[in-house]
């Protein structure tokens, strides 16, 4: 392996899915995995197979579909977890067991309730057992950045002796700062005698906004694998954002002479897909993939960019797959133009999905004069990535305003293939609509967030609604888009309920890793 080559380990499907509100079904995980494979991700951590039968099946489905990337599954340091992980990933041409154990004094005392020597022995036993099942074993020292150096060195040396090919040092709680984290990696390189037999990896969380900076500092100190997620998705404040890491290395080879195998032109496509599947909207000022990342409103900036793009752009929009098409879309546009637009936007859909989306597009074009790229993105997200939902929106009529008190809503939903109708009232049109949904789909989930924003400008703009529901400690986000805000609201609530059904089937085990 080229010593300057950095392995990209993407954990969007595992750590990313642990984000409160994010959930992915089997088909969605496979779609994301195939996009990650196509863009050149080296290792895809597909999930936590022991968590549930659904997660096991999803990891196994990814393992059977992906051909070039290594498929990893996560396992705690127990025989049952490791065996289940092996069963899930073994169908992949390249597969890995990723097992972990806490090593910091805080975690050992309060979480594991184990003495250091017992932890060290468990490291040896778990890695040795995993090594009997697969050649490629990764071991992680959970809360590694807060682990005593002497003990961390002993654990790392023992894991390598037991057969681990990759050693991951997570900054599990996002506590480290770049120079400190780099010094930790350098210390392991200098003190662990068998460190040359393994690849050092890092997994940084963004609690202090330093996940990417810490990851890059670690690479400069000797790490050669970075664990990251698309859009920085992950628990709490998220993980190191894959797109930021990759573009930092590509943009600043003068200071960081390292390479990856990522086809950066597919970054925007991956970002949009993950956002659509999880319902997590990318903030406008997000680096690399945010809506404003390549926008210039200041007159001085606009003047500079027009004269020479490099005055204010350190990378091109095209380098991350952001292209602008001059193709104007409207109600007279045909399938060929629509398919070409989808290609420009980074979508590669099956014929049936294109046809479904085209029908929705024509309906939108009848109601909206100007169709912007953002409209089509919202339409695709709404129409395509929900094909396996058990609950489907069919129709809504709302009566509200000063002449209708209380507001009334009549709703049609398809539930497990059967269309049902109900009428309900509420304190307002949104309340009436949501009460109608509750009447057809009884549940105890609480509404934590209701948010509306316009996809584009104009009074005929599509409204994109985000709904967050909570049930028994599980939170989900739902999204819906339509030129009618009430219809968008209903779609968002139904989307959230479908995700809640998926969440109910997943009961993640305790002691999740970084």
């Amino acid at each position: 392996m080229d010593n300057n080559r950095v392995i990209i380990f993407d954990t969007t499907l595992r750590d990313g899915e642990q984000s409160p509100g994010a959930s992915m079904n089997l088909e969605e995980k496979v779609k994301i995995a195939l996009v990650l494979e196509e863009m050149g991700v080296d290792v895809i951590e597909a999930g936590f197979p022991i968590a549930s039968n659904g997660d096991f099946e999803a990891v196994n489905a990814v393992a059977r579909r992906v051909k070039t990337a290594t498929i990893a599954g996560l396992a705690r340091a127990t025989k049952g977890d490791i065996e289940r992980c092996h069963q899930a990933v073994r169908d992949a041409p390249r597969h890995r067991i990723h097992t972990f154990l806490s090593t910091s004094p805080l975690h050992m005392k309060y979480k594991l309730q184990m003495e250091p020597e017992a932890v060290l022995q468990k490291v040896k036993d778990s890695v040795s057992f995993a090594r009997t099942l697969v050649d490629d074993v990764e071991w992680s020292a959970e809360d590694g950045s807060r682990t005593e150096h002497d003990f961390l060195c002993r654990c790392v040396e023992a894991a390598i002796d037991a057969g681990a090919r990759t050693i991951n040092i997570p900054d599990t709680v996002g506590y480290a700062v770049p120079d400190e984290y780099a010094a930790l990696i350098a210390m392991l390189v200098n003190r662990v005698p068998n460190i040359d037999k393994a690849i050092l990896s890092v997994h940084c969380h963004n609690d202090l906004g330093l996940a990417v900076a810490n990851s890059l500092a670690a690479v400069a100190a000797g790490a050669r694998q970075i664990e990251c997620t698309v859009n920085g998705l992950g628990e709490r404040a998220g993980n190191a954002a894959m797109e930021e890491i990759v573009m930092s290395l590509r943009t600043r080879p003068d200071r960081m002479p390292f390479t990856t195998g990522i086809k950066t032109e597919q970054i925007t496509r991956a970002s949009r897909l993950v956002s659509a599947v999880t319902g997590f909207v990318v903030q406008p000022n997000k680096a690399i993939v945010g809506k404003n990342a390549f926008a210039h409103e200041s007159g001085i900036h606009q003047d500079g960019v027009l004269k020479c793009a490099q005055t204010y752009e350190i990378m091109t929009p095209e380098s991350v797959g952001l292209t602008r098409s001059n193709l104007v879309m409207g109600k007279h546009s045909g399938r060929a133009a629509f398919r070409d637009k989808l290609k420009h936007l980074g979508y590669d859909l099956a014929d049936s999905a294109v046809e479904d989306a085209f029908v929705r597009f024509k309906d939108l074009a009848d109601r909206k004069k100007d169709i912007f790229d953002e409209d089509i993105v919202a339409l695709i997200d709404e129409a395509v990535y929900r094909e396996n939902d058990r609950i489907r929106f069919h129709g809504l009529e709302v009566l509200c305003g000063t002449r209708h008190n209380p507001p009334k809503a009549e709703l049609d939903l398809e539930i497990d293939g059967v269309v049902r109708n109900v009428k309900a009232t509420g304190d307002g049109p949104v309340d009436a609509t949501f009460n109608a949904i509750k009447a057809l789909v009884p549940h105890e989930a609480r509404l934590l967030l209701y948010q509306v924003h316009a996809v584009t400008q104009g009074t005929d703009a599509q409204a994109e609604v985000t709904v967050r529901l909570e049930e028994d400690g599980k939170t989900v986000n739902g999204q819906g888009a339509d030129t009618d805000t009430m219809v968008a609201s209903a779609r968002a609530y139904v989307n959230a309920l479908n995700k809640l059904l998926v969440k109910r089937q997943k009961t993640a085990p305790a002691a999740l890793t970084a």
Side-chain angles (χ1 to χ4, degrees), residues 10 12-13 32-41 44 230 242 270:
D10 185 279
T12 303
L13 303 182
I32 292 174
L34 292 175
V35 168
L36 294 175
E37 177 185 35
E38 189 175 344
M39 72 187 299
V41 167
I44 300 171
V230 175
M242 186 255 282

Side-chain angles (χ1 to χ4, degrees), residues 100-123 139-144 146-156 172 511:
F100 69 95
L101 192 62
S102 295
T103 54
S104 70
L106 193 65
H107 277 221
M108 288 191 292
K109 180 178 180 180
Y110 293 104
K111 176 179 170 182
L112 299 181
Q113 297 181 338
M114 294 173 63
E115 293 297 320
E117 291 304 316
V119 169
L120 180 61
Q121 186 60 50
K122 197 166 187 178
V123 170
W139 178 74
S140 285
E142 185 176 12
D143 206 22
R146 296 192 297 177
T147 298
E148 294 176 343
H149 287 192
D150 288 348
F151 185 64
L152 183 60
C153 287
R154 293 178 65 199
C155 289
V156 169
T172 302

Side-chain angles (χ1 to χ4, degrees), residues 303-329:
D303 179 66
V305 169
L306 288 172
K307 292 174 178 175
C308 176
Q310 290 179 321
T311 55
Y312 288 102
E313 288 185 351
I314 60 173
M315 65 195 90
T316 66
E318 291 77 15
S319 68
V320 298
L322 187 63
T323 58
R324 295 296 181 187
S325 171
N326 293 322
L327 195 62
V328 178
M329 302 300 292

Side-chain angles (χ1 to χ4, degrees), residues 452-494:
V452 183
H453 80 272
V455 174
T456 58
Q457 65 266 32
T459 57
D460 63 349
Q462 285 195 92
E464 189 167 64
V465 175
T466 300
V467 165
R468 181 175 300 148
L469 300 179
E470 185 273 332
E471 180 186 72
D472 297 330
K474 301 181 179 71
T475 61
V476 292
N477 291 328
Q479 284 183 299
D482 197 272
T483 53
D484 187 316
T485 303
M486 292 304 101
V487 172
S489 300
R491 291 184 183 278
Y493 201 104
V494 167

Side-chain angles (χ1 to χ4, degrees), residues 202 211-221 226 244-246 248-249 256 258:
V202 291
V212 170
N214 283 335
S215 299
L216 295 175
V219 169
I226 297 179
E244 296 178 24
I245 286 167
V246 170
S248 292
L249 294 177
M256 296 177 287
F258 308 106

